[in-house]
Amino acid sequence: MQSRAAELSGHALVIDGEDTFTAMLAHVLRSTGLEVTVRRYDEPGLWEVALRHVGPVVLGPGPGDPGDASDPKMRLLRGLAAELLRDHRHGLLDVCLGHELMAAELGLPILRKAQPAQGAQMVIDLFGREEVVGFYNTFAANCDAESAAELARHGVEVSCDAVTGEVHALRGAHGFAGVQFHPESVLTLRGAALVAELLASVTSPAAAQPPARGVAGQGMVGRGQ
């Protein structure tokens, strides 16, 4: 059962990467008090709308290989993720595919999982707190201790599996966060509350300050695809 979320205000733009979970994600966002608009990734003018949006942008889930440069959808979304990381100052939250694309922009490798997770409920350490969440992914970002330390020097915190190195979540001091799991899934017990907490952190006045040169969208750890 989803816990009650904190009350937020403003207008969130959700970018749909062709995933049926997007409607549920929009519902969870509305439950926090936000006005929500959903736009498909390939709608004419979407890129400009996203970059001009005054409010949080949510780069949502979707099928496909995030490392496939021959896929027009992945090229478009990867480029948009890079520009949002660099220029958007009103909060950025990435979910599943969006999270993978953001992680790649930060320089982390994206690997195919040995066993896809489609409806897998797991207990994870999320930034020092135990959470029960639901995963639906075939690919995952990977981060070792050296890369985590390099990201930390740029103000980016990584939550990952201590054994496999798979990245569960990322959050930056300059207004962005991403989660590999689906917070809108019934398998994520505190999904609405987690969304509200992450959005509150990425839209805070401190997060709205521009990052230092080389921090956003620059392949910080030097291993992006």
Side-chain angles (χ1 to χ4, degrees):
M1 180 178 180
Q2 293 267 354
S3 60
R4 183 174 178 80
E7 194 74 11
L8 301 176
S9 62
H11 182 194
L13 173 64
V14 180
I15 299 173
D16 177 14
E18 298 181 301
D19 198 296
T20 55
F21 273 102
T22 304
M24 290 190 289
L25 181 59
H27 174 75
V28 168
L29 289 163
R30 291 186 182 100
S31 77
T32 71
L34 290 169
E35 179 185 351
V36 178
T37 296
V38 178
R39 302 281 297 269
R40 268 182 61 102
Y41 79 94
D42 55 355
E43 284 189 28
L46 182 275
W47 192 300
E48 292 76 14
V49 169
L51 293 175
R52 293 198 311 266
H53 183 68
V54 180
V57 173
V58 180
L59 194 56
D65 178 352
D68 184 1
S70 68
D71 185 338
K73 179 173 80 171
M74 296 306 165
R75 289 200 304 270
L76 187 152
L77 288 174
R78 175 76 182 262
L80 181 57
E83 290 214 23
L84 288 168
L85 269 173
R86 185 180 66 242
D87 298 330
H88 188 65
R89 300 271 70 85
H90 303 285
L92 174 63
L93 176 63
D94 303 303
V95 176
C96 199
L97 174 62
H99 161 81
E100 294 160 9
L101 294 167
M102 179 180 70
E105 274 304 303
L106 295 176
L108 295 175
I110 310 300
L111 307 177
R112 181 183 289 272
K113 291 170 61 68
Q115 184 67 40
Q118 294 300 326
Q121 188 178 56
M122 296 174 58
V123 179
I124 66 168
D125 181 330
L126 184 65
F127 304 122
R129 186 174 64 198
E130 189 176 276
E131 297 286 352
V132 179
V133 301
F135 289 93
Y136 300 79
N137 60 306
T138 301
F139 300 89
N142 193 273
C143 186
D144 58 22
E146 181 181 356
S147 298
E150 180 64 22
L151 287 169
R153 284 192 283 273
H154 292 285
V156 180
E157 187 177 1
V158 183
S159 172
C160 63
D161 187 284
V163 177
T164 67
E166 287 189 8
V167 178
H168 300 319
L170 294 159
R171 62 183 179 188
H174 299 285
F176 64 89
V179 294
Q180 180 66 73
F181 58 87
H182 280 245
E184 76 282 2
S185 169
V186 294
L187 299 180
T188 301
L189 301 189
R190 289 195 337 110
L194 292 176
V195 166
E197 290 169 11
L198 288 169
L199 284 174
S201 69
V202 302
T203 56
S204 69
Q209 299 301 312
R213 182 176 176 82
V215 169
Q218 299 294 320
M220 297 176 199
V221 299
R223 302 191 309 179
Q225 297 185 20

mmCIF file of all heavy atoms in Angstrom, residues 178-223:
data_model
loop_
_atom_site.group_PDB
_atom_site.id
_atom_site.type_symbol
_atom_site.label_atom_id
_atom_site.label_comp_id
_atom_site.label_asym_id
_atom_site.label_seq_id
_atom_site.Cartn_x
_atom_site.Cartn_y
_atom_site.Cartn_z
ATOM 1 N N GLY A 178 17.489 10.551 -9.847
ATOM 2 C CA GLY A 178 16.979 9.476 -10.682
ATOM 3 C C GLY A 178 16.854 8.194 -9.886
ATOM 4 O O GLY A 178 17.648 7.943 -8.969
ATOM 5 N N VAL A 179 15.862 7.391 -10.233
ATOM 6 C CA VAL A 179 15.659 6.099 -9.583
ATOM 7 C C VAL A 179 15.474 5.021 -10.642
ATOM 8 O O VAL A 179 14.782 5.227 -11.639
ATOM 9 C CB VAL A 179 14.448 6.117 -8.621
ATOM 10 C CG1 VAL A 179 14.713 7.043 -7.444
ATOM 11 C CG2 VAL A 179 13.163 6.526 -9.320
ATOM 12 N N GLN A 180 16.112 3.880 -10.428
ATOM 13 C CA GLN A 180 15.961 2.757 -11.359
ATOM 14 C C GLN A 180 14.624 2.049 -11.146
ATOM 15 O O GLN A 180 14.011 1.557 -12.094
ATOM 16 C CB GLN A 180 17.112 1.766 -11.172
ATOM 17 C CG GLN A 180 17.053 0.567 -12.082
ATOM 18 C CD GLN A 180 17.227 0.942 -13.545
ATOM 19 O OE1 GLN A 180 18.326 1.269 -13.984
ATOM 20 N NE2 GLN A 180 16.144 0.894 -14.321
ATOM 21 N N PHE A 181 14.171 1.986 -9.912
ATOM 22 C CA PHE A 181 12.905 1.326 -9.609
ATOM 23 C C PHE A 181 11.726 2.200 -10.032
ATOM 24 O O PHE A 181 11.881 3.361 -10.386
ATOM 25 C CB PHE A 181 12.824 0.983 -8.125
ATOM 26 C CG PHE A 181 12.949 2.164 -7.207
ATOM 27 C CD1 PHE A 181 11.842 2.915 -6.837
ATOM 28 C CD2 PHE A 181 14.188 2.535 -6.688
ATOM 29 C CE1 PHE A 181 11.949 4.007 -5.992
ATOM 30 C CE2 PHE A 181 14.312 3.622 -5.824
ATOM 31 C CZ PHE A 181 13.190 4.357 -5.496
ATOM 32 N N HIS A 182 10.533 1.606 -9.994
ATOM 33 C CA HIS A 182 9.314 2.333 -10.345
ATOM 34 C C HIS A 182 8.586 2.773 -9.072
ATOM 35 O O HIS A 182 7.946 1.954 -8.409
ATOM 36 C CB HIS A 182 8.388 1.440 -11.176
ATOM 37 C CG HIS A 182 8.764 1.348 -12.611
ATOM 38 N ND1 HIS A 182 7.969 1.831 -13.621
ATOM 39 C CD2 HIS A 182 9.876 0.836 -13.221
ATOM 40 C CE1 HIS A 182 8.554 1.600 -14.790
ATOM 41 N NE2 HIS A 182 9.714 1.004 -14.569
ATOM 42 N N PRO A 183 8.638 4.047 -8.720
ATOM 43 C CA PRO A 183 7.959 4.496 -7.501
ATOM 44 C C PRO A 183 6.447 4.407 -7.595
ATOM 45 O O PRO A 183 5.764 4.342 -6.573
ATOM 46 C CB PRO A 183 8.424 5.947 -7.339
ATOM 47 C CG PRO A 183 8.803 6.375 -8.722
ATOM 48 C CD PRO A 183 9.358 5.148 -9.383
ATOM 49 N N GLU A 184 5.909 4.403 -8.825
ATOM 50 C CA GLU A 184 4.456 4.345 -9.006
ATOM 51 C C GLU A 184 3.898 2.929 -8.887
ATOM 52 O O GLU A 184 2.682 2.739 -8.818
ATOM 53 C CB GLU A 184 4.084 4.943 -10.364
ATOM 54 C CG GLU A 184 4.361 4.068 -11.566
ATOM 55 C CD GLU A 184 5.814 4.020 -11.997
ATOM 56 O OE1 GLU A 184 6.663 4.655 -11.327
ATOM 57 O OE2 GLU A 184 6.112 3.346 -13.005
ATOM 58 N N SER A 185 4.773 1.927 -8.860
ATOM 59 C CA SER A 185 4.330 0.530 -8.772
ATOM 60 C C SER A 185 3.813 0.211 -7.368
ATOM 61 O O SER A 185 4.322 0.727 -6.366
ATOM 62 C CB SER A 185 5.497 -0.402 -9.104
ATOM 63 O OG SER A 185 5.187 -1.740 -8.786
ATOM 64 N N VAL A 186 2.837 -0.685 -7.300
ATOM 65 C CA VAL A 186 2.343 -1.128 -5.990
ATOM 66 C C VAL A 186 3.421 -1.893 -5.231
ATOM 67 O O VAL A 186 3.318 -2.073 -4.009
ATOM 68 C CB VAL A 186 1.086 -2.010 -6.129
ATOM 69 C CG1 VAL A 186 -0.077 -1.205 -6.682
ATOM 70 C CG2 VAL A 186 1.367 -3.237 -6.997
ATOM 71 N N LEU A 187 4.458 -2.344 -5.938
ATOM 72 C CA LEU A 187 5.556 -3.053 -5.279
ATOM 73 C C LEU A 187 6.451 -2.108 -4.478
ATOM 74 O O LEU A 187 7.214 -2.564 -3.628
ATOM 75 C CB LEU A 187 6.401 -3.803 -6.314
ATOM 76 C CG LEU A 187 5.683 -4.878 -7.129
ATOM 77 C CD1 LEU A 187 6.653 -5.532 -8.109
ATOM 78 C CD2 LEU A 187 5.052 -5.924 -6.219
ATOM 79 N N THR A 188 6.377 -0.817 -4.768
ATOM 80 C CA THR A 188 7.138 0.187 -4.013
ATOM 81 C C THR A 188 6.233 0.719 -2.910
ATOM 82 O O THR A 188 5.276 1.441 -3.172
ATOM 83 C CB THR A 188 7.608 1.324 -4.938
ATOM 84 O OG1 THR A 188 8.431 0.769 -5.971
ATOM 85 C CG2 THR A 188 8.417 2.355 -4.162
ATOM 86 N N LEU A 189 6.539 0.343 -1.689
ATOM 87 C CA LEU A 189 5.597 0.584 -0.591
ATOM 88 C C LEU A 189 5.432 2.055 -0.244
ATOM 89 O O LEU A 189 4.352 2.466 0.182
ATOM 90 C CB LEU A 189 6.029 -0.210 0.646
ATOM 91 C CG LEU A 189 6.121 -1.730 0.473
ATOM 92 C CD1 LEU A 189 6.341 -2.404 1.823
ATOM 93 C CD2 LEU A 189 4.862 -2.289 -0.199
ATOM 94 N N ARG A 190 6.465 2.861 -0.397
ATOM 95 C CA ARG A 190 6.373 4.291 -0.068
ATOM 96 C C ARG A 190 6.606 5.137 -1.313
ATOM 97 O O ARG A 190 7.222 6.193 -1.245
ATOM 98 C CB ARG A 190 7.394 4.652 1.015
ATOM 99 C CG ARG A 190 7.078 4.111 2.368
ATOM 100 C CD ARG A 190 7.869 4.760 3.518
ATOM 101 N NE ARG A 190 9.108 5.386 3.130
ATOM 102 C CZ ARG A 190 9.321 6.710 3.119
ATOM 103 N NH1 ARG A 190 8.351 7.547 3.468
ATOM 104 N NH2 ARG A 190 10.498 7.202 2.763
ATOM 105 N N GLY A 191 6.111 4.674 -2.448
ATOM 106 C CA GLY A 191 6.422 5.332 -3.712
ATOM 107 C C GLY A 191 6.040 6.793 -3.772
ATOM 108 O O GLY A 191 6.839 7.646 -4.163
ATOM 109 N N ALA A 192 4.812 7.111 -3.389
ATOM 110 C CA ALA A 192 4.361 8.505 -3.453
ATOM 111 C C ALA A 192 5.187 9.390 -2.526
ATOM 112 O O ALA A 192 5.557 10.513 -2.884
ATOM 113 C CB ALA A 192 2.884 8.595 -3.101
ATOM 114 N N ALA A 193 5.490 8.885 -1.343
ATOM 115 C CA ALA A 193 6.294 9.662 -0.401
ATOM 116 C C ALA A 193 7.715 9.857 -0.924
ATOM 117 O O ALA A 193 8.296 10.943 -0.783
ATOM 118 C CB ALA A 193 6.329 8.965 0.959
ATOM 119 N N LEU A 194 8.278 8.826 -1.553
ATOM 120 C CA LEU A 194 9.621 8.945 -2.106
ATOM 121 C C LEU A 194 9.664 9.968 -3.239
ATOM 122 O O LEU A 194 10.606 10.768 -3.332
ATOM 123 C CB LEU A 194 10.109 7.584 -2.610
ATOM 124 C CG LEU A 194 10.371 6.518 -1.548
ATOM 125 C CD1 LEU A 194 10.750 5.197 -2.205
ATOM 126 C CD2 LEU A 194 11.449 6.968 -0.573
ATOM 127 N N VAL A 195 8.655 9.938 -4.105
ATOM 128 C CA VAL A 195 8.582 10.923 -5.183
ATOM 129 C C VAL A 195 8.513 12.336 -4.616
ATOM 130 O O VAL A 195 9.209 13.246 -5.074
ATOM 131 C CB VAL A 195 7.367 10.640 -6.088
ATOM 132 C CG1 VAL A 195 7.071 11.828 -6.996
ATOM 133 C CG2 VAL A 195 7.611 9.401 -6.929
ATOM 134 N N ALA A 196 7.668 12.527 -3.611
ATOM 135 C CA ALA A 196 7.529 13.849 -3.005
ATOM 136 C C ALA A 196 8.836 14.316 -2.376
ATOM 137 O O ALA A 196 9.242 15.480 -2.522
ATOM 138 C CB ALA A 196 6.418 13.827 -1.961
ATOM 139 N N GLU A 197 9.529 13.417 -1.689
ATOM 140 C CA GLU A 197 10.793 13.776 -1.049
ATOM 141 C C GLU A 197 11.855 14.145 -2.087
ATOM 142 O O GLU A 197 12.577 15.143 -1.936
ATOM 143 C CB GLU A 197 11.288 12.604 -0.194
ATOM 144 C CG GLU A 197 10.444 12.348 1.049
ATOM 145 C CD GLU A 197 10.798 11.036 1.723
ATOM 146 O OE1 GLU A 197 11.835 10.433 1.346
ATOM 147 O OE2 GLU A 197 10.054 10.602 2.618
ATOM 148 N N LEU A 198 11.946 13.338 -3.150
ATOM 149 C CA LEU A 198 12.945 13.623 -4.174
ATOM 150 C C LEU A 198 12.638 14.930 -4.899
ATOM 151 O O LEU A 198 13.537 15.734 -5.166
ATOM 152 C CB LEU A 198 13.014 12.465 -5.165
ATOM 153 C CG LEU A 198 13.664 11.185 -4.640
ATOM 154 C CD1 LEU A 198 13.428 10.033 -5.610
ATOM 155 C CD2 LEU A 198 15.155 11.394 -4.411
ATOM 156 N N LEU A 199 11.369 15.149 -5.232
ATOM 157 C CA LEU A 199 11.007 16.396 -5.909
ATOM 158 C C LEU A 199 11.237 17.614 -5.012
ATOM 159 O O LEU A 199 11.662 18.665 -5.487
ATOM 160 C CB LEU A 199 9.555 16.344 -6.369
ATOM 161 C CG LEU A 199 9.291 15.499 -7.618
ATOM 162 C CD1 LEU A 199 7.801 15.400 -7.878
ATOM 163 C CD2 LEU A 199 10.004 16.088 -8.834
ATOM 164 N N ALA A 200 10.947 17.473 -3.730
ATOM 165 C CA ALA A 200 11.192 18.584 -2.809
ATOM 166 C C ALA A 200 12.682 18.931 -2.776
ATOM 167 O O ALA A 200 13.066 20.102 -2.724
ATOM 168 C CB ALA A 200 10.690 18.232 -1.413
ATOM 169 N N SER A 201 13.538 17.896 -2.850
ATOM 170 C CA SER A 201 14.983 18.154 -2.799
ATOM 171 C C SER A 201 15.497 18.775 -4.097
ATOM 172 O O SER A 201 16.352 19.664 -4.067
ATOM 173 C CB SER A 201 15.744 16.856 -2.503
ATOM 174 O OG SER A 201 15.681 15.953 -3.588
ATOM 175 N N VAL A 202 14.968 18.346 -5.250
ATOM 176 C CA VAL A 202 15.496 18.866 -6.516
ATOM 177 C C VAL A 202 14.917 20.220 -6.888
ATOM 178 O O VAL A 202 15.428 20.892 -7.792
ATOM 179 C CB VAL A 202 15.276 17.873 -7.678
ATOM 180 C CG1 VAL A 202 15.934 16.541 -7.375
ATOM 181 C CG2 VAL A 202 13.812 17.703 -8.022
ATOM 182 N N THR A 203 13.854 20.628 -6.213
ATOM 183 C CA THR A 203 13.267 21.943 -6.499
ATOM 184 C C THR A 203 13.537 22.956 -5.390
ATOM 185 O O THR A 203 12.972 24.050 -5.407
ATOM 186 C CB THR A 203 11.743 21.820 -6.702
ATOM 187 O OG1 THR A 203 11.144 21.210 -5.542
ATOM 188 C CG2 THR A 203 11.412 20.981 -7.923
ATOM 189 N N SER A 204 14.412 22.628 -4.461
ATOM 190 C CA SER A 204 14.735 23.566 -3.387
ATOM 191 C C SER A 204 15.528 24.739 -3.936
ATOM 192 O O SER A 204 16.164 24.642 -4.998
ATOM 193 C CB SER A 204 15.555 22.862 -2.302
ATOM 194 O OG SER A 204 16.846 22.540 -2.799
ATOM 195 N N PRO A 205 15.527 25.899 -3.259
ATOM 196 C CA PRO A 205 16.293 27.051 -3.743
ATOM 197 C C PRO A 205 17.768 26.750 -3.957
ATOM 198 O O PRO A 205 18.373 27.227 -4.919
ATOM 199 C CB PRO A 205 16.090 28.086 -2.628
ATOM 200 C CG PRO A 205 14.768 27.722 -2.025
ATOM 201 C CD PRO A 205 14.713 26.220 -2.069
ATOM 202 N N ALA A 206 18.363 25.946 -3.074
ATOM 203 C CA ALA A 206 19.778 25.609 -3.224
ATOM 204 C C ALA A 206 20.023 24.813 -4.492
ATOM 205 O O ALA A 206 21.022 25.001 -5.193
ATOM 206 C CB ALA A 206 20.262 24.823 -2.010
ATOM 207 N N ALA A 207 19.083 23.895 -4.833
ATOM 208 C CA ALA A 207 19.244 23.068 -6.025
ATOM 209 C C ALA A 207 19.119 23.878 -7.301
ATOM 210 O O ALA A 207 19.609 23.470 -8.356
ATOM 211 C CB ALA A 207 18.208 21.951 -6.020
ATOM 212 N N ALA A 208 18.460 25.025 -7.233
ATOM 213 C CA ALA A 208 18.258 25.855 -8.419
ATOM 214 C C ALA A 208 19.507 26.616 -8.832
ATOM 215 O O ALA A 208 19.556 27.197 -9.912
ATOM 216 C CB ALA A 208 17.122 26.853 -8.165
ATOM 217 N N GLN A 209 20.551 26.610 -7.995
ATOM 218 C CA GLN A 209 21.779 27.300 -8.344
ATOM 219 C C GLN A 209 22.507 26.538 -9.451
ATOM 220 O O GLN A 209 22.548 25.314 -9.443
ATOM 221 C CB GLN A 209 22.700 27.425 -7.120
ATOM 222 C CG GLN A 209 22.085 28.215 -5.989
ATOM 223 C CD GLN A 209 21.714 29.621 -6.408
ATOM 224 O OE1 GLN A 209 22.513 30.325 -7.016
ATOM 225 N NE2 GLN A 209 20.489 30.035 -6.094
ATOM 226 N N PRO A 210 23.082 27.230 -10.432
ATOM 227 C CA PRO A 210 23.786 26.538 -11.521
ATOM 228 C C PRO A 210 24.989 25.778 -10.991
ATOM 229 O O PRO A 210 25.666 26.233 -10.062
ATOM 230 C CB PRO A 210 24.205 27.676 -12.455
ATOM 231 C CG PRO A 210 24.226 28.890 -11.596
ATOM 232 C CD PRO A 210 23.138 28.696 -10.579
ATOM 233 N N PRO A 211 25.270 24.586 -11.560
ATOM 234 C CA PRO A 211 26.417 23.800 -11.108
ATOM 235 C C PRO A 211 27.732 24.430 -11.541
ATOM 236 O O PRO A 211 27.781 25.255 -12.453
ATOM 237 C CB PRO A 211 26.204 22.449 -11.808
ATOM 238 C CG PRO A 211 25.455 22.805 -13.047
ATOM 239 C CD PRO A 211 24.542 23.952 -12.652
ATOM 240 N N ALA A 212 28.778 24.018 -10.876
ATOM 241 C CA ALA A 212 30.106 24.475 -11.278
ATOM 242 C C ALA A 212 30.438 23.931 -12.657
ATOM 243 O O ALA A 212 29.890 22.932 -13.100
ATOM 244 C CB ALA A 212 31.143 23.990 -10.259
ATOM 245 N N ARG A 213 31.351 24.597 -13.345
ATOM 246 C CA ARG A 213 31.727 24.192 -14.701
ATOM 247 C C ARG A 213 32.167 22.729 -14.706
ATOM 248 O O ARG A 213 32.967 22.299 -13.900
ATOM 249 C CB ARG A 213 32.869 25.077 -15.202
ATOM 250 C CG ARG A 213 33.295 24.758 -16.641
ATOM 251 C CD ARG A 213 34.362 25.729 -17.084
ATOM 252 N NE ARG A 213 34.847 25.402 -18.413
ATOM 253 C CZ ARG A 213 34.241 25.751 -19.530
ATOM 254 N NH1 ARG A 213 33.127 26.454 -19.470
ATOM 255 N NH2 ARG A 213 34.746 25.421 -20.707
ATOM 256 N N GLY A 214 31.616 21.935 -15.652
ATOM 257 C CA GLY A 214 32.020 20.542 -15.782
ATOM 258 C C GLY A 214 31.241 19.588 -14.923
ATOM 259 O O GLY A 214 31.486 18.393 -14.960
ATOM 260 N N VAL A 215 30.250 20.070 -14.136
ATOM 261 C CA VAL A 215 29.543 19.166 -13.248
ATOM 262 C C VAL A 215 28.427 18.434 -13.955
ATOM 263 O O VAL A 215 28.258 17.236 -13.782
ATOM 264 C CB VAL A 215 28.995 19.932 -12.027
ATOM 265 C CG1 VAL A 215 28.032 19.067 -11.246
ATOM 266 C CG2 VAL A 215 30.137 20.372 -11.133
ATOM 267 N N ALA A 216 27.615 19.093 -14.758
ATOM 268 C CA ALA A 216 26.435 18.456 -15.328
ATOM 269 C C ALA A 216 26.616 18.088 -16.789
ATOM 270 O O ALA A 216 27.068 18.884 -17.595
ATOM 271 C CB ALA A 216 25.222 19.377 -15.190
ATOM 272 N N GLY A 217 26.231 16.832 -17.095
ATOM 273 C CA GLY A 217 26.210 16.381 -18.477
ATOM 274 C C GLY A 217 27.582 16.307 -19.126
ATOM 275 O O GLY A 217 27.713 16.411 -20.334
ATOM 276 N N GLN A 218 28.641 16.069 -18.338
ATOM 277 C CA GLN A 218 29.987 16.088 -18.895
ATOM 278 C C GLN A 218 30.688 14.735 -18.784
ATOM 279 O O GLN A 218 31.888 14.656 -18.989
ATOM 280 C CB GLN A 218 30.831 17.157 -18.176
ATOM 281 C CG GLN A 218 30.286 18.562 -18.321
ATOM 282 C CD GLN A 218 30.346 19.048 -19.738
ATOM 283 O OE1 GLN A 218 31.298 18.797 -20.435
ATOM 284 N NE2 GLN A 218 29.307 19.720 -20.201
ATOM 285 N N GLY A 219 29.974 13.660 -18.459
ATOM 286 C CA GLY A 219 30.625 12.371 -18.313
ATOM 287 C C GLY A 219 31.680 12.413 -17.232
ATOM 288 O O GLY A 219 32.875 12.194 -17.457
ATOM 289 N N MET A 220 31.245 12.708 -16.015
ATOM 290 C CA MET A 220 32.175 12.990 -14.922
ATOM 291 C C MET A 220 33.192 11.883 -14.684
ATOM 292 O O MET A 220 34.345 12.140 -14.352
ATOM 293 C CB MET A 220 31.399 13.202 -13.628
ATOM 294 C CG MET A 220 30.476 14.370 -13.631
ATOM 295 S SD MET A 220 29.564 14.404 -12.089
ATOM 296 C CE MET A 220 28.211 15.438 -12.567
ATOM 297 N N VAL A 221 32.757 10.620 -14.802
ATOM 298 C CA VAL A 221 33.678 9.530 -14.492
ATOM 299 C C VAL A 221 34.357 8.994 -15.742
ATOM 300 O O VAL A 221 35.101 8.024 -15.688
ATOM 301 C CB VAL A 221 32.979 8.387 -13.729
ATOM 302 C CG1 VAL A 221 32.432 8.895 -12.426
ATOM 303 C CG2 VAL A 221 31.865 7.765 -14.559
ATOM 304 N N GLY A 222 34.056 9.631 -16.906
ATOM 305 C CA GLY A 222 34.805 9.325 -18.114
ATOM 306 C C GLY A 222 34.524 7.977 -18.735
ATOM 307 O O GLY A 222 35.351 7.442 -19.476
ATOM 308 N N ARG A 223 33.310 7.400 -18.439
ATOM 309 C CA ARG A 223 33.044 6.067 -18.978
ATOM 310 C C ARG A 223 31.694 5.994 -19.649
ATOM 311 O O ARG A 223 31.133 4.938 -19.861
ATOM 312 C CB ARG A 223 33.091 5.027 -17.859
ATOM 313 C CG ARG A 223 34.403 4.989 -17.123
ATOM 314 C CD ARG A 223 34.496 3.797 -16.215
ATOM 315 N NE ARG A 223 33.323 3.696 -15.344
ATOM 316 C CZ ARG A 223 33.171 2.716 -14.467
ATOM 317 N NH1 ARG A 223 34.060 1.761 -14.377
ATOM 318 N NH2 ARG A 223 32.097 2.675 -13.685
#
